[in-house]
């Protein structure tokens, strides 16, 4: 009985001595984990912002080029043949556009020039039901379309629509619509990734439109953010990653620039 009491006392005193040490170790370990997690997210966020700035500059530059072309040289006062020539020269100089169309306020195309294909007068379409066209007319401001994909190549595109006023009049008479090639940002994204980090760009629904590996982009996988901007979640392969998101807005459209890294690499020190 004496031995039993002594054993219990030893155990009790040992527990009192060890428990605070264990609690302290657990707290320090958790704090270390959280600190590493925050640092990893900060690094991902910095990288996603750098790519975001470059993507924003790319789209804004093409918007500016289209605006200057349609507003310079008294564009709206020129005859149809001269307008077509000006737009052809732009497309010949700037191959980041897939096509450019000049559309009347009623939606009827009067000029459409494609980067590769020849467009005949019989091929001209009516865009009166196009949501981007209608938005440009109703808001009298530059609008951007949702992302679309080429049915064969899978290349992503976006349309920039700029309303044009009549010569010496505030009334909108035409809309110039430029389809821009977002495939050009694939190389940009590939160049920014490093140290087992992957940077992708998705549309507002999470569909990947740019990945360092073009073959992955072409499969159009989805990155599920689960309503959060930064943290730990599942990567494209379903494995846990540390990620950060930078949102870009162009009119009513938005992109997500997501930088992520496998958890076992991003939090390597915490796991050791």
């Amino acid at each position: 009985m004496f031995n039993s009491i002594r054993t219990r006392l030893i155990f009790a005193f040992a527990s009192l001595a060890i428990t605070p040490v264990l609690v302290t170790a657990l707290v320090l370990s958790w704090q270390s984990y959280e600190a590493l997690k925050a640092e990893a997210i900060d690094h991902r966020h910095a990288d996603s912002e750098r790519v975001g700035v470059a993507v924003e500059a790319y789209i804004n530059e093409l918007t500016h080029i289209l605006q200057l072309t349609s507003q310079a040289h008294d564009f709206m006062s020129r005859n149809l043949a001269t307008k077509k020539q000006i737009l052809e020269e732009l497309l010949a100089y700037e191959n980041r556009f897939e096509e450019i169309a000049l559309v009347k306020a009623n939606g009827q195309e009067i000029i459409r020039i494609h980067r590769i294909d020849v467009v005949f007068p019989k091929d001209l379409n009516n865009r009166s039901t196009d949501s981007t066209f209608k938005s440009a007319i109703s808001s009298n401001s530059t609008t951007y379309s949702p992302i679309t994909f080429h049915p064969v190549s899978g290349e992503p595109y976006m349309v920039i629509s700029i309303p044009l006023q009549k010569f010496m009049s505030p009334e909108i008479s035409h809309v110039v619509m430029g389809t821009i090639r977002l495939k050009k940002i694939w190389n940009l994204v590939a160049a920014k990734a490093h140290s087992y980090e992957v940077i992708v760009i998705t549309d507002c629904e999470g569909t990947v439109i740019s990945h360092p590996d073009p073959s992955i982009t072409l499969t159009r996988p989805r990155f599920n953010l689960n309503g959060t901007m930064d943290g730990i979640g599942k990567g494209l392969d379903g494995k846990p990653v540390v990620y950060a998101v930078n949102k870009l807005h162009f009119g009513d459209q938005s992109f997500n620039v997501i930088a992520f890294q496998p958890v076992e690499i991003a939090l390597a020190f915490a796991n050791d």
Side-chain angles (χ1 to χ4, degrees):
M1 182 177 185
F2 176 76
N3 289 336
S4 177
I5 293 173
R6 185 173 62 179
T7 301
R8 291 179 183 178
L9 286 173
I10 292 172
F11 180 77
F13 284 127
S15 297
L16 288 173
I18 295 173
T19 299
V21 175
L22 290 176
V23 171
T24 301
L26 286 172
V27 169
L28 290 176
S29 178
W30 177 253
Q31 288 177 338
S32 174
Y33 172 83
E34 286 296 310
L36 282 171
K37 175 182 170 183
E39 183 180 358
I41 289 173
D42 285 343
H43 284 307
R44 304 293 80 71
H45 205 274
D47 290 338
S48 67
E49 282 189 341
R50 277 197 291 271
V51 173
V53 167
V55 172
E56 210 164 31
Y58 177 88
I59 294 176
N60 286 340
E61 181 187 6
L62 292 177
T63 301
H64 188 58
I65 289 172
L66 200 58
Q67 288 172 333
L68 284 179
T69 301
S70 58
Q71 294 169 5
H73 311 297
D74 296 325
F75 182 81
M76 291 309 297
S77 66
R78 304 286 181 159
N79 60 38
L80 189 63
T82 305
K83 288 175 182 172
K84 184 176 182 181
Q85 181 182 355
I86 291 171
L87 295 180
E88 284 175 338
E89 289 175 356
L90 169 59
L91 200 59
Y93 167 77
E94 184 51 85
N95 71 356
R96 290 180 293 177
F97 287 102
E98 181 70 4
E99 70 173 21
I100 302 172
L102 185 62
V103 186
K104 294 176 68 173
N106 64 6
Q108 181 59 48
E109 291 180 344
I110 55 174
I111 299 171
R112 177 154 51 90
I113 304 155
H114 194 274
R115 184 174 60 92
I116 298 173
D117 300 332
V118 177
V119 180
F120 295 100
K122 65 181 178 62
D123 300 321
L124 296 176
N125 299 319
N126 189 291
R127 303 203 187 194
S128 58
T129 60
D130 185 296
S131 59
T132 309
F133 168 80
K134 291 193 294 184
S135 181
I137 291 287
S138 61
S139 66
N140 192 17
S141 62
T142 300
T143 59
Y144 300 84
S145 75
I147 303 299
T148 59
F149 297 88
H150 191 280
V152 177
S153 69
E155 181 175 355
Y157 299 111
M158 185 170 69
V159 179
I160 304 170
S161 298
I162 301 173
L164 305 177
Q165 297 174 338
K166 286 183 178 180
F167 183 61
M168 300 295 289
S169 169
E171 184 181 350
I172 297 174
S173 62
H174 297 78
V175 176
V176 62
M177 304 179 71
T179 302
I180 63 173
R181 304 173 63 200
L182 297 179
K183 184 178 178 180
K184 291 286 185 176
I185 65 175
W186 289 2
N187 292 338
L188 183 155
V189 168
K192 297 291 183 181
H194 61 84
S195 302
Y196 300 100
E197 178 186 64
V198 177
I199 300 176
V200 301
I201 300 175
T202 76
D203 61 16
C204 59
E205 296 179 347
T207 301
V208 173
I209 62 171
S210 182
H211 187 286
D213 183 347
S215 66
I216 294 178
T217 304
L218 294 174
T219 65
R220 300 185 208 169
R222 291 174 64 90
F223 194 104
N224 189 358
L225 296 176
N226 294 318
T228 60
M229 293 300 292
D230 308 302
I232 294 179
K234 290 183 179 180
L236 297 175
D237 58 1
K239 296 179 180 178
V241 295
V242 175
Y243 70 90
V245 185
N246 182 30
K247 270 197 173 295
L248 305 179
H249 297 279
F250 299 94
D252 294 333
Q253 306 304 321
S254 63
F255 296 121
N256 299 311
V257 181
I258 308 170
F260 61 91
Q261 192 173 45
V263 165
E264 66 269 19
I265 296 174
L267 304 180
F269 294 109
N271 292 331
D272 290 342

